[in-house]
Amino acid sequence: MANQYNSDVLIIGAGAAGLSLALQLAPIAKISLVAKDALTEGSSLYAQGGIAAVLNDDQDSFESHIDDTLNAGAGLCRRETVAFVIKHAPEAIRWLVDQGVSFSCELESGGSPSYHLTQEGGHSHRRVIHAADATGRAIEQTLETQVKRHKNIHIFEDHIAVDLITRSGSDSDNETRCFGAYILDKRSGHVNLFQARFVILATGGASKVYLYTSNPDTSTGDGIAMAWRAGCRVANMEFVQFHPTCLYHPKAKSFLISEAVRGEGGKLSLPSGVPFMQKHDNRVELAPRDIVARAIDYEMKKHGLDHVNLDISHKSSEFITSHFPTIYRRCLELGYDMTRGPIPVVPAAHYTCGGIVTSLQARTDIQGLYAVGECAFTGLHGANRLASNSLLECIVFAHAAAKDISEKLNEKVVPVPPLPLWDESRVTDPDEQVVVSHNWDELRRFMWDYVGIVRTTKRLMRARHRIELLKDEIREYYSNFKITNDLVELRNLVLVAELIIRSALSRKESRGLHYTRDYPNLDTQHPPIDTILAPGDLTENATPRVITG
Ligand code: FAD
Ligand code: SIN
C-alpha cells in the first residue's frame, strides 16, 4: 500500500551535502531525509585526501586558492562562485569542527598542536585539511550521529527517488514549481509520495556511467536525470574527471589511492621502474589531475600496459602508516606492502564536474527545487576540478541553500494542487532481469571505450548511436514493468550518458578534462563557453544548444 509523507523540506541524498543541509535546517523545519542505500553510503564516505581551505594566513591566501582553482578550471570557472566558495571555506571548516569532526593535527616547532595541511596536485600551497586518509568517513560518521539525534529529521534509508513532482502555472508568477517526489521504498516495493515545500537534490555524481570508477554504486546521476526530466538545464557534462590513481587489482573494486600520496612524495613509473611524468609536465606528479591521468593513459596505451606503478616506499614506514592508514591496510590485504615497494595503479572515472545549473543560493530553474553537492553545476570547477574543492563546495552550498530556504519558510505557503499517488495499475512484475543487467554492462563498457579520457568524434558518434538503441529498450521496459532500484538507476544512467556524449560532441576544442584528437587544441578564437543544455534541446537529431554561461 503506497503512503504519503508531508514535510517542510525533502532532502534527497545524505552525503556531505545532504547531511549538512539537514542539520542546518533542522532547528526550524520538519525534514524528510532520504538515501537510496544505508544512510552514509555514497562518495562522501570514501573521500580520502581532505578539504581545501586557506587556514594558514601567513603562508597562504584566498587569492592563491582562487588562482589555483581558476588555473585548474582552464578558463571556464565562474569567478564569482570561486571567490564565494573559497572565502567561505574557513567558516565551513569551523562548522565541521563544531559538529565534532576531528581533523589530523601536528605539533608545531613551539610544541603547540595545529591542523596538519597536506598537498595535492594543482595547489600551490599545503592547504588540504584532512582526517588521516579517511576524511569523508570522519565527516559522515560525525554528521550521521548529529542527524540521528534530531527529532525534526525523519530518516528514510533504502528509499530511491524515482521522479520529481512539478506543476506549472500554480504560482502567481506562473513558473514551474516542485511539490515533492515519488520515492520507491526498496524494502516494501511501494512507490510513496513525498510532498514538501522545498525539495533538495543532493544525490552526488554520475561516475558509475563508466566501467571503471573510484565511486561507490550510488553514483548513478539520479538527481541530474530527475532534474532534467523535470525541466532544469544542465551544464558542462563533458567534463568528467578521471582520477589518475585507483588501485589495480581484480578484487579492489573502486579503491582510490589518494592524490595526497603523490602530494607527500609518491612517484609514478612504468612497471620497469622508468619514471615518465617529467616527459608530460614540469610539475611532474603534482600536475593537475587531467594531465596526470592523460599521461598515464598515454603510457599505458604506448607500452601496452594494464597499469603503472606508484611508489612512496622511500618514506619511512612510520610516516606512511600514520598518514595513509586506510590505504596501507587495504593494499596489504591485497598483497601490496606500500612501505616496501610500488603499488599498481590505473585511472578511473572519479568526479562529475557538470550538473544541474544552480545559482549562488543553490536554486535550480524550478521554484522550490534546489541542488547541492556533486549533482549541481555551480561554476566552481570549470573544465577541471581542483583536488579537494568538492567537499568544500558541498558544505558551502549546503549553508547557502539553508540560508535561502530559511528566509523563504516564513513566506506565504503556495497552495498544493492535487497530487496523484503512483499508478501501477498498468504494469506487471518484470518477466526477466537480463535486459537490465545486460544494458547496464553494455552502457558502462562503451562509455569507457568511446567516451573516456581521450575522445574522437567518430567514437562519440558510435556511442550516441548505441544510446539511441538502449533508450528505446529501456523506455519500453520502464513502461511495461514495475520499477526496481536497478531499473531506476539504468534509466538515469542512460540519460546522463546521453548528456555527456551530446555535450562532448558539441565542444569543438580540447579543454581541461575534455580531450579530443579531432580538436586537440584550445579554441583561442572565441571566448570560453559553458555547454548548457536545456530539455527541449534533445529532440531526435537535434544538436545541443550551446550558450555562454
Ligand atoms: P554523495 O556523497 O555521493 O551522496 C549522495 C547521496 O545521494 C547518497 O546518500 C545516496 O544514497 C543518495 N542518492 C543518490 N541517488 C538517490 C536517489 N535516486 N534517491 C535517494 N537517494 C539518492 N572530494 C574532496 O573534496 N576531497 C577528497 O578527499 C575526495 N576524495 C574522494 C575519494 C573518493 C573515493 C571519491 C569517490 C570521491 C572523492 N571526492 C573528494 C569527491 C567527493 O567525495 C564527492 O564529490 C562528494 O562527497 C559528493 O558529495 P554529495 O553529498 O554531493 O554526494
Ligand atoms: C584524493 O584523495 O585523491 C581525492 C581528492 C579529491 O577527489 O578531491
Side-chain angles (χ1 to χ4, degrees), residues 12-18 34-52 120 135 140 159-162 202-205 214-216 218-220 222-223 226 254 256 350-351 372-375 385 387-392 394 488 492:
I12 306 175
V34 176
K36 68 176 169 180
D37 205 301
L39 188 69
T40 56
E41 179 63 10
S43 289
S44 301
L45 184 66
Y46 300 97
Q48 295 183 348
I51 310 182
E120 289 184 312
T135 309
E140 284 289 288
H159 278 65
I160 180 166
V162 181
T203 47
S214 66
N215 281 210
T218 48
S219 300
T220 50
D222 298 357
M226 284 188 280
S254 317
L256 188 79
H350 182 62
Y351 186 82
V372 182
E374 193 172 334
C375 66
R385 175 179 68 102
S388 289
N389 265 356
S390 170
L391 288 171
L392 176 61
C394 290
V488 171
N492 293 333

Side-chain angles (χ1 to χ4, degrees), residues 183-198:
I183 300 185
L184 169 70
D185 176 347
K186 289 161 59 175
R187 295 173 194 163
S188 72
H190 292 131
V191 179
N192 300 317
L193 192 162
F194 283 68
Q195 192 243 306
R197 282 179 67 192
F198 300 95

Side-chain angles (χ1 to χ4, degrees), residues 67 69-79 236 239 379 381-384 507 509 511-512 522 526-530:
D67 283 349
T69 303
L70 296 175
N71 284 339
L76 277 187
C77 298
R78 292 188 177 174
R79 189 173 266 278
N236 285 4
F239 297 116
H381 308 305
N384 183 19
R507 188 167 288 284
E509 62 168 348
R511 180 183 293 276
L522 267 188
H526 303 97
I529 51 170
D530 292 319

Side-chain angles (χ1 to χ4, degrees), residues 47-50 120 241 243 245 256-260 262 289 350 385-390:
Q48 295 183 348
E120 289 184 312
Q241 184 170 70
H243 196 291
T245 57
L256 188 79
I257 306 295
S258 175
E259 187 152 328
R262 279 177 285 125
R289 273 185 200 168
H350 182 62
R385 175 179 68 102
L386 185 66
S388 289
N389 265 356
S390 170

Side-chain angles (χ1 to χ4, degrees), residues 206-211 219 443-444 447-448 493 496-497 500:
S207 290
K208 277 300 270 193
V209 78
Y210 287 94
L211 188 58
S219 300
L443 173 73
R444 296 182 63 214
M447 285 300 287
W448 183 261
L493 281 173
V496 169
I500 296 172

